[in-house]
Amino acid sequence: MTTSAPSARRPLVDETTRTKPKTVDLLNDWQYWEQSVHRILAGWGRHVAGWEDKSALHRHVWEQAQVVNRLRARIAEFPGGKPDAPVSARLEELANAVLLAPSLEDAMDGVHLLLGKALAGAYVDYSSRAHPVHDAPTLTMLHEINRTKADQWLWFRDYRRRRPHTTDVAYAERVRGLIGGLGGFLEAQPLTIPAARAAGVGTNFRLPKFSAREFSTKPRHEFMPYVRADFQSSIEARRLFWAYAYMLEKNLPDDQLPWLYWGHFMPWDWHSDVSRHLWDESRHGDSGYSRLMDFGISIDEVGFPSYNNEDQIKELDKIAAGKKTSDYADYVIQLAETSAEPMTPKDIYEAVFFIGMVAENGHFIVKNEAYKDFQEGKDMESAEMMLFDIIDETTHVQYAHRWLPLLAEHAGIANDDYRKRAAKIRAEYEQGELDKISAMTLSRDPSDPSFAFYENLLGRIRAVAPLANAETCPERSPKPM
């Protein structure tokens, strides 16, 4: 067995080093960069339009949070290591330069080609210099991080094949110049006071008001009023509802990206929890979309509306005014040019409250009923879809309980019994849904295009996976909202 000569590597201590080796300061710098990548993905993510690309972006947000978690855990293992230690403001200058890209495609190049490759190279360089035994935990961590980056690079390479782009020259030169000025991330930067702020803080960067999409926001025919009317009485209507409703959950992760970007005042553990919540919701969207495709139903047929679809359609109408065609698909990417106002701490508090304590907490009864009914009906694929969602949503409600008190402090909210308020709102929503259904006047004439479309969807689902209890399943709880 042969070993490298000791002189082939550079020790990470010198005559002035005490119990905290130089490694720790460098890890803190790297953590800042990886958190910056996380924020850049959150800042630009709503511009991503394609379904599969949205799925990848949402997964990368979670993977990036895991990268940060690994760095923080390793920093905390060193005596004197503090995962939230301040770092040089020079790092903030580069983070902002990458964030303030001229376009989504330039930002994607900034994350993967410029910043990402430089970081991966720095980790390889460190691994070649660190002692393979003394510092093995750091080396193992860096190998894990670079495996994540390699997977993301393979995705990005395919993305660029589908969407060719030449990086803006001035943007690339500025970012490369700042990376070079920082020594390529190979050495820790001396601390400056004031220290670096989170990427984007203090800039005029804004997120778009609506998330972009490549699909129509409208179905071919309005079938959902029939689904709502039949929800309690028909297991087949409920099965269509859940596949479609889960597909629509693809909206929520795009709505949560602003939580991450504007919630920079919250501790990192909150960002980690939100990142997991976001990825879960993205996968729920994939689950519903996949189930619809199992039934032979395309997204082009049923549409992909946003949760604020009326506002989005109004904006699309403005964009479409005076154009030669009224095809919304020709203008939907332009929605990214409509900037949203920054979220305040109170805005984030109310968003977390509504999702966790109203929407998610309010659906457990009907979801558990659906799980049981689909099991008894021998549709195990739909039952499995329900079960994994219930498991995830249970965790998400726990996230809300964990973070609402701290969010309330930041928002200046006192004496809000959010449990009691949520119960009242849930009851109001359920009654409002019942009132709307009772006020509906729906045509059940087979010649009516909307009713015929609804019946066609049910028939196609039935042909793929007939339910053993379609005629015997009892009436269930009303749709909560």
Side-chain angles (χ1 to χ4, degrees):
M1 177 179 178
T2 60
T3 59
S4 299
S7 59
R9 57 171 299 276
R10 181 171 57 184
L12 296 171
V13 299
D14 57 26
E15 63 274 8
T16 65
T17 304
R18 296 180 64 81
T19 58
K20 189 178 76 170
K22 297 176 180 179
T23 302
V24 180
D25 292 335
L26 185 55
L27 291 174
N28 274 316
D29 280 8
W30 288 343
Q31 182 204 190
Y32 178 86
W33 293 123
E34 299 294 2
Q35 283 199 35
S36 296
V37 170
H38 185 260
R39 286 183 56 73
I40 294 166
L41 293 175
W44 281 97
R46 287 165 68 86
H47 292 262
V48 175
W51 184 281
E52 297 299 333
D53 292 333
K54 284 182 182 290
S55 295
L57 184 283
H58 300 150
R59 186 182 74 248
H60 292 170
V61 167
W62 165 240
E63 290 175 348
Q64 194 60 31
Q66 290 291 83
V67 167
V68 175
N69 286 338
R70 289 187 177 100
L71 284 161
R72 292 174 64 84
R74 181 57 179 148
I75 291 167
E77 289 175 349
F78 289 95
K82 297 179 180 179
D84 294 306
V87 297
S88 170
R90 296 185 66 196
L91 279 63
E92 181 184 350
E93 182 182 11
L94 173 56
N96 288 342
V98 178
L99 173 70
L100 297 174
S103 69
L104 165 66
E105 299 306 335
D106 290 306
M108 296 295 278
D109 286 351
V111 166
H112 294 91
L113 286 175
L114 304 175
L115 189 56
K117 292 187 79 172
L119 284 168
Y123 300 156
V124 170
D125 177 83
Y126 181 93
S127 298
S128 71
R129 294 188 287 116
H131 197 287
V133 177
H134 305 330
D135 203 15
T138 303
L139 299 183
T140 298
M141 175 200 68
L142 293 177
H143 291 326
E144 291 171 347
I145 290 174
N146 268 355
R147 278 198 296 270
T148 296
K149 291 187 179 299
D151 289 342
Q152 293 179 354
W153 170 254
L154 290 173
W155 170 82
F156 180 70
R157 185 176 63 176
D158 177 67
Y159 178 84
R160 271 288 161 260
R161 287 171 180 155
R162 293 182 285 109
R163 303 178 65 91
H165 177 72
T166 300
T167 314
D168 180 84
V169 173
Y171 173 71
E173 288 180 351
R174 173 163 170 73
V175 172
R176 287 195 181 103
L178 290 171
I179 291 174
L182 292 169
F185 311 135
L186 302 181
E187 302 289 344
Q189 297 298 306
L191 177 62
T192 61
I193 301 298
R197 298 168 296 177
V201 173
T203 73
N204 62 357
F205 184 82
R206 294 292 182 268
L207 281 67
K209 185 175 182 180
F210 304 103
S211 63
R213 60 193 61 214
E214 293 179 342
F215 302 100
S216 171
T217 62
K218 297 180 179 180
R220 289 182 185 173
H221 301 284
E222 294 296 336
F223 68 97
M224 277 302 291
Y226 294 95
V227 175
R228 293 168 63 192
D230 295 347
F231 185 87
Q232 280 187 267
S233 59
S234 169
I235 184 177
E236 291 189 325
R238 291 195 294 276
R239 184 164 59 166
L240 172 58
F241 170 79
W242 286 117
Y244 183 67
Y246 282 145
M247 183 196 74
L248 294 189
E249 288 192 11
K250 202 69 168 183
N251 285 295
L252 183 51
D254 275 2
D255 288 347
Q256 290 176 304
L257 292 171
W259 301 7
L260 293 171
Y261 187 82
W262 296 115
H264 52 80
F265 56 88
M266 289 292 284
W268 171 256
D269 284 350
W270 180 79
H271 291 268
S272 181
D273 284 350
V274 171
S275 297
R276 177 52 190 264
H277 188 171
L278 180 154
W279 182 46
D280 289 347
E281 299 297 351
S282 183
R283 289 184 294 102
H284 298 169
D286 291 335
S287 293
Y289 188 17
S290 175
R291 197 71 189 121
L292 287 173
M293 289 191 291
D294 289 343
F295 297 139
I297 298 171
S298 72
I299 197 170
D300 292 326
E301 293 179 271
V302 295
F304 178 36
S306 69
Y307 285 153
N308 53 352
N309 205 44
E310 291 184 5
D311 290 342
Q312 181 162 329
I313 289 173
K314 288 178 183 177
E315 292 292 338
L316 285 165
D317 286 339
K318 291 179 184 177
I319 294 170
K323 303 290 185 178
K324 294 180 180 179
T325 173
S326 61
D327 184 359
Y328 284 145
D330 290 348
Y331 316 122
V332 72
I333 302 302
Q334 296 181 48
L335 285 175
E337 304 303 319
T338 307
S339 297
E341 291 298 316
M343 293 189 79
T344 66
K346 187 175 187 299
D347 292 334
I348 298 174
Y349 175 85
E350 291 297 339
V352 172
F353 162 79
F354 181 81
I355 295 300
M357 303 309 302
V358 178
E360 292 181 323
N361 213 355
H363 280 81
F364 282 123
I365 292 175
V366 288
K367 286 181 179 180
N368 278 289
E369 288 177 349
Y371 171 56
K372 182 176 183 292
D373 290 343
F374 295 153
Q375 271 189 315
E376 293 178 353
K378 310 303 180 187
D379 181 355
M380 297 309 169
E381 290 287 344
S382 293
E384 183 179 55
M385 179 180 70
M386 301 303 304
L387 179 60
F388 275 92
D389 176 86
I390 292 166
I391 292 167
D392 289 341
E393 303 286 78
T394 301
T395 302
H396 301 163
V397 173
Q398 293 170 350
Y399 289 159
H401 283 298
R402 179 182 184 187
W403 294 113
L404 280 173
L406 182 57
L407 283 166
E409 287 183 26
H410 282 285
I413 296 172
N415 304 317
D416 180 27
D417 187 341
Y418 64 82
R419 293 174 177 83
K420 184 177 180 179
R421 181 160 67 102
K424 181 176 182 293
I425 293 173
R426 290 196 302 268
E428 290 171 349
Y429 268 113
E430 184 171 309
Q431 186 58 51
E433 180 69 12
L434 290 171
D435 292 343
K436 290 175 185 177
I437 291 170
S438 65
M440 284 181 181
T441 302
L442 295 176
S443 168
R444 300 278 178 169
D445 186 333
S447 65
D448 183 283
S450 294
F451 180 65
F453 183 61
Y454 170 61
E455 287 286 286
N456 176 265
L457 294 176
L458 294 183
R460 287 156 63 186
I461 296 173
R462 190 182 306 123
V464 172
L467 288 164
N469 59 347
E471 301 298 329
T472 59
C473 185
E475 185 168 298
R476 292 301 190 186
S477 302
K479 186 173 173 291
M481 56 191 300

